Amino acid sequence: MAAREQREAQCLSRICYLAVFYLLLTGLFIQNCCALLTYSRQEILDIWTHNSNSFIADLRLIPEISRTPEAAHSPRPGGSARRRRRERKQRRGRRGGLRAKLKLTPHRLPLPSIFLANVRSLANKMDEIRLSITNNRRIMDSNVMFFTETWLNNSCPDNAIELAGRHTHQADRLADNSGKTRGGGLCIYINNAWCMNSTTTESHCSPNAEFLMVKCRPYYLPRELTSIILTAVYIPPDANARLAMKELSAAINKHSVLSHLDNNNTYARMLFIDFSSAFNTIHPSQLIRKLTDLGISSLICKWLLDFLTKRPQHVRLDNRCSSTITMNTGVPQGCVMSPFLYSLFTHDCRPADGSNTIIKFADDTTVIGLISDNDEAAYREEVDRLAEWCDTNNLLLNTEKTKELIVDYRRNADPHPPIHIKGTAVEHVSSFKFLGVHISEDLTWTTNCSKLVKKAHQRLFFLRTLRKNHLSSDILVNFYRCTIESILTNCITVWYGNCSASDRKALQRVVKTAQRIAGAPLPAIKDIYRKRCLKRAGKIIKDPSHPSHGLFTLLPSGRRYRSLRTKTTRYRNSFFPTAVRLLNSAS
């Protein structure tokens, strides 16, 4: 037994010696091989210079490197018919993922090739760019070309910067937004051989950043992607980089208050501003100056100036009249043109920070600040900037009627300090009526529904009176639709989706009561909500300039829309996610 163990130990030692000797020889061989494959920098440059056109073509001859579909699916000799059928089946799971598809199709780029340059006056360098496209293969084959500091303005015609075979998207610097009249500007050229379907989704200009966003649907994209959004950004050297990145981040992650509240440590502040006699404080000369900057013809501006100045007014009571006063300020209330002129007068009132939004409807103005990590600096600066803009444009802020609503779902939220306008604190309210809709700080719609039901019950009295006078059912139905249904369905796409079950039953009881009085069938509130959502979504889809047009994106099948990602039931039942679900169910 001992002799056998001794022989095995001797044999094992011989094997170890042979293994060590083999490793030494292998190391020397590899070292010599590596020395033979060593190139200097100049030799590598010479190889690229002499073989730049055929280098890639030679690599394609090697199946392991090129991974072409022909090499990957080369027929194998022999094998059963069952195995061949199994190999022809569509690959799924990891074998059919994005990386596998890209390896099998190397001629289809997963991302576009981009050429970027800071031109400093694009119009003066168009001849050089056209020559570079003709002679330089890389620039010729680039899918997208970005140019910053184009220095373009309205005096430069569009055909002066056009490139053959490429679609142009440009964004010029605006003096009203950036405070500078020269410099800046962005331009994006899309190669028609790569994409013919491209639209400008957003253009932004501020003292801190300028960016242009273009949405593209090229001829080929991986199945997992539906479109590509290209963004050209220019940050001036003297800009605040922190604010510039904040504006860019807010534009890329553009969302509503509900989607913002889905994130952690966030809340929203809404400031409902009230002006004192907004229409009566407009200076006609200042309005005409803004209309001229917007490109309105001088003939129309002179006609409007003559219409708004030297207007005689007096008050009449029965047969008595007051003395006549000549008015040279404001726009006449009750005139069809007055709200439109006021909207043009306030067109330059825009938010400076991307986390803030200013909503304007005639003289109703609301500032919405999306706050993250308790950083309210941008929101408070926006309010101060708005107060300064009002002083410059002769608009009087009524601080006593201005209210603020704070939507905060955090459990351990600290008390919110009030906002101040010219040293006066703004009152914080738990509910506010905005454009006929009661908005609560918890975003529940019980208050709004109770107000609507109460108002509708008052109108039911008139419907009963008409029934007692033996009017026909058609007249009663028309009266219901004009005076009662119009109240119950006011802005229904905004609030009905998040109504509680008790609120929906209360609304439907009003409809059932009116149906018994009229003696004719009436549409249910739920059906009206569904129809209004589809109608509103259809208008948004047809209007590429709508701010929410990008939320409705088709899937690669072209029949259904991509669902929006939601974290809470509150956001899931809001208008946009509900509209997408209704569109998909109707398709």
Side-chain angles (χ1 to χ4, degrees), residues 190-480:
I190 309 295
N191 196 332
N192 293 337
W194 175 69
C195 174
M196 286 287 290
N197 185 0
S198 60
T199 56
T200 301
T201 59
E202 186 172 355
S203 176
H204 176 79
C205 179
S206 70
N208 297 316
E210 302 176 23
F211 55 82
L212 174 64
M213 292 185 177
V214 177
K215 182 179 180 180
C216 302
R217 293 182 61 88
Y219 296 119
Y220 167 76
L221 268 182
R223 184 177 299 177
E224 290 77 6
L225 303 177
T226 58
S227 61
I228 292 178
I229 296 180
L230 305 171
T231 305
V233 185
Y234 173 68
I235 301 177
D238 57 345
N240 189 329
R242 184 182 64 85
L243 295 179
M245 295 306 297
K246 202 169 184 179
E247 294 176 9
L248 180 61
S249 176
I252 294 175
N253 302 315
K254 191 173 183 181
H255 45 11
S256 62
V257 176
L258 291 178
S259 59
H260 174 74
L261 294 174
D262 277 359
N263 302 324
N264 296 327
N265 198 19
T266 58
Y267 60 96
R269 301 187 71 154
M270 292 180 280
L271 185 67
F272 302 96
I273 296 175
D274 183 80
F275 295 105
S276 298
S277 302
F279 285 2
N280 296 331
T281 57
I282 296 178
H283 283 181
S285 58
Q286 198 169 8
L287 173 62
I288 297 303
R289 193 182 311 114
K290 293 186 178 183
L291 294 180
T292 304
D293 296 338
L294 291 173
I296 307 299
S297 64
S298 59
L299 183 63
I300 296 179
C301 291
K302 291 179 181 179
W303 179 81
L304 289 174
L305 183 62
D306 183 73
F307 170 70
L308 297 176
T309 55
K310 298 180 181 181
R311 291 180 288 110
Q313 292 186 359
H314 67 270
V315 179
R316 179 177 180 180
L317 179 62
D318 294 334
N319 295 327
R320 297 182 179 181
C321 294
S322 65
S323 58
T324 303
I325 299 178
T326 303
M327 302 294 294
N328 290 315
T329 60
V331 292
Q333 296 192 21
C335 179
V336 179
M337 196 180 299
S338 298
F340 179 64
L341 292 177
Y342 182 83
S343 300
L344 294 177
F345 182 75
T346 59
H347 82 279
D348 55 344
C349 180
R350 300 189 183 96
D353 193 271
S355 61
N356 301 321
T357 305
I358 297 180
I359 300 176
K360 294 175 290 185
F361 186 83
D363 59 340
D364 293 326
T365 304
T366 304
V367 180
I368 300 177
L370 306 179
I371 314 299
S372 302
D373 299 327
N374 293 322
D375 185 9
E376 298 182 354
Y379 172 70
R380 293 182 178 275
E381 291 175 1
E382 194 69 54
V383 175
D384 295 339
R385 195 178 296 106
L386 178 62
E388 295 176 0
W389 180 89
C390 292
D391 293 339
T392 306
N393 292 271
N394 198 41
L395 291 176
L396 302 177
L397 281 172
N398 191 348
T399 312
E400 295 181 356
K401 292 185 178 181
T402 299
K403 309 297 179 182
E404 186 182 31
L405 186 71
I406 302 177
V407 182
D408 191 354
Y409 289 101
R410 297 178 299 174
R411 295 181 179 179
N412 300 322
D414 298 331
H416 300 283
I419 198 77
H420 290 80
I421 299 178
K422 296 181 179 180
T424 305
V426 177
E427 181 185 358
H428 171 247
V429 295
S430 59
S431 178
F432 187 82
K433 185 179 181 181
F434 180 66
L435 299 180
V437 178
H438 293 267
I439 304 175
S440 302
E441 61 181 358
D442 56 355
L443 293 185
T444 58
W445 303 100
T446 302
T447 303
N448 182 69
C449 291
S450 60
K451 296 287 185 181
L452 295 179
V453 170
K454 181 179 179 180
K455 197 171 184 179
H457 276 298
Q458 296 173 354
R459 304 293 177 90
L460 286 176
F461 168 77
F462 300 105
L463 188 64
R464 292 189 179 95
T465 303
L466 295 176
R467 176 63 183 270
K468 290 179 181 178
N469 288 276
H470 307 288
L471 294 179
S472 62
S473 297
D474 296 337
I475 297 178
L476 296 178
V477 170
N478 290 334
F479 181 83
Y480 162 79

Side-chain angles (χ1 to χ4, degrees), residues 136-165:
N136 195 322
R137 183 77 180 185
R138 292 183 178 181
I139 302 178
M140 182 191 304
D141 295 338
S142 62
N143 298 331
V144 185
M145 300 174 67
F146 288 102
F147 294 121
T148 59
E149 286 198 271
T150 57
W151 297 0
L152 298 176
N153 49 41
N154 295 331
S155 61
C156 181
D158 295 339
N159 57 6
I161 59 171
E162 289 181 354
L163 292 176

Side-chain angles (χ1 to χ4, degrees), residues 17 58 97 109 129 144 196 239 245 349 467 496 516 528 587:
Y17 292 150
D58 295 340
L109 294 177
I129 293 174
V144 185
M196 286 287 290
M245 295 306 297
C349 180
R467 176 63 183 270
Y496 187 81
R516 288 196 302 268
I528 297 176
S587 60

Side-chain angles (χ1 to χ4, degrees), residues 115-130:
F115 177 78
L116 173 64
N118 185 292
V119 291
R120 294 191 176 185
S121 182
L122 179 62
N124 295 334
K125 295 182 174 61
M126 289 305 299
D127 293 337
E128 181 180 352
I129 293 174
R130 293 188 179 99

